[in-house]
Amino acid sequence: VAYKETVTRSAKVQGKHKKQSGGRGQYGDCWIEVQPLPRDQEFEFVDKIFGGAIPRNFIPSVEKGVRQACAEGAIAGYPVSHIRVILYDGSFHEVDSSDMAFQIAGRKALKKAIAEAGPVLLEPIMDVEIVIPEEFMGHITGDLNGRRGHVMGMDVKGKNQIIKAKVPLAEMFKYANGLRSITGGRGSYTMKFSHYKEVPHKLTATIIAQSGFKKEEEEE
C-alpha cells in the first residue's frame, strides 16, 4: 500500500551538522519551520533567509537535504508530502561549510521537524463499485463495514444492485475471493483511486511496526 506521511501542526527546529576530525571540518546549520499543506498540494520550499545568515549558494543544498528526508520518510519510511518547509535562519563557517554539510543539516532538520509536528500516516482510499444480485445486499454491506468501508450510494441495474462505496486500499486485497465466496461467483466489482485520508490512530502503530523502519540516532 502506498502510504504517505504528513504533519498536523507547525514546528520550528534546528538542523545542525558539525564535525571536526583532523584537517577540514564540516559545518552546516539551518532553522526551518514545517507547516501542513492542503491535500491537493504536495510540497513547497520557502527561502526566508536574509542578511546572509546562510550564503545563497548553500540554500539549494538545504532544500536538497530536506527533499531527501521527505523521500526517506521520518516515522515509517513512507514519503512525506503535503508540507511547506520554510528556511528562515542558520549559520555557517567560512572554512568548514560545504554543500554536503548543509545537505545533511537540512535532512536532519526535516526529520526532527516531522517528529515534532504531529506526524500521521495517510492511506489511499478507493472508489469501489460492486454489482450483485439483490439477495446479497446485507452480506456485502456488512462485509464492507468490516473493511472500514463507507457505502456512498446504491443503484439498480436490471436484476442487480450496484453498491458504491469508499474503502481503504489496504482492506481491498483478496476482495475478489471474498466477493466470490459471498455471492457464489455472481458478483463483480471495479475500483479506482479516490483520495488520501488519515489512517486511524489505532492502526498507525501496527503499520509502523510492520514497516520495520528504524529512526536514526541523533548525532551532533
Side-chain angles (χ1 to χ4, degrees):
V1 178
Y3 293 105
K4 290 183 179 180
E5 301 179 10
T6 193
V7 299
T8 55
R9 59 177 183 264
S10 298
K12 292 183 176 182
V13 303
Q14 179 186 28
K16 191 173 184 180
H17 179 62
K18 182 181 178 184
K19 275 195 173 176
Q20 196 73 49
S21 52
R24 184 175 171 179
Q26 298 176 40
Y27 186 92
D29 174 32
C30 62
W31 283 86
I32 64 169
E33 179 177 3
V34 165
Q35 300 171 343
L37 280 178
R39 295 284 185 262
D40 60 346
Q41 296 177 48
E42 288 289 319
F43 178 84
E44 189 181 334
F45 184 84
V46 182
D47 169 16
K48 284 197 175 175
I49 292 294
F50 63 93
I54 297 174
R56 307 307 308 169
N57 57 308
F58 291 138
I59 289 169
S61 308
V62 176
E63 181 177 358
K64 193 172 178 182
V66 164
R67 286 181 178 273
Q68 183 188 358
C70 283
E72 293 171 353
I75 59 171
Y78 296 106
V80 178
S81 89
H82 314 304
I83 63 165
R84 174 184 293 116
V85 178
I86 301 167
L87 174 63
Y88 67 91
D89 202 0
S91 64
F92 69 102
H93 187 281
E94 288 287 355
V95 177
D96 293 345
S97 284
S98 65
D99 167 58
M100 186 52 68
F102 273 101
Q103 271 189 53
I104 294 170
R107 185 170 168 273
K108 284 183 177 179
L110 193 280
K111 293 199 177 231
K112 193 191 294 186
I114 297 295
E116 294 183 16
V120 292
L121 284 179
L122 301 175
E123 64 179 344
I125 305 296
M126 310 303 285
D127 277 324
V128 182
E129 194 169 286
I130 307 158
V131 182
I132 49 161
E134 188 175 0
E135 63 261 35
F136 300 114
M137 284 281 288
H139 283 95
I140 292 297
T141 52
D143 181 62
L144 287 172
N145 288 337
R147 295 174 186 269
R148 297 191 285 128
H150 293 281
V151 174
M152 309 303 290
M154 298 183 188
D155 218 335
V156 179
K157 185 179 181 183
K159 292 182 178 179
N160 288 326
Q161 294 281 336
I162 301 174
I163 300 174
K164 296 178 181 179
K166 292 193 183 293
V167 191
L169 177 60
E171 304 290 344
M172 288 301 292
F173 293 110
K174 298 184 179 174
Y175 185 67
N177 294 341
L179 182 63
R180 192 180 304 118
S181 117
I182 292 172
T183 65
R186 294 165 64 200
S188 63
Y189 79 100
T190 57
M191 69 176 181
K192 63 182 181 182
F193 173 75
S194 171
H195 63 283
Y196 270 88
K197 185 179 178 183
E198 197 172 311
V199 174
H201 185 69
K202 62 183 179 183
L203 295 178
T204 300
T206 305
I207 295 167
I208 291 173
Q210 288 172 346
S211 75
F213 182 76
K214 289 186 173 57
K215 291 183 183 175
E216 296 169 17
E217 294 299 317
E218 267 301 313
E219 51 163 332
E220 180 54 46

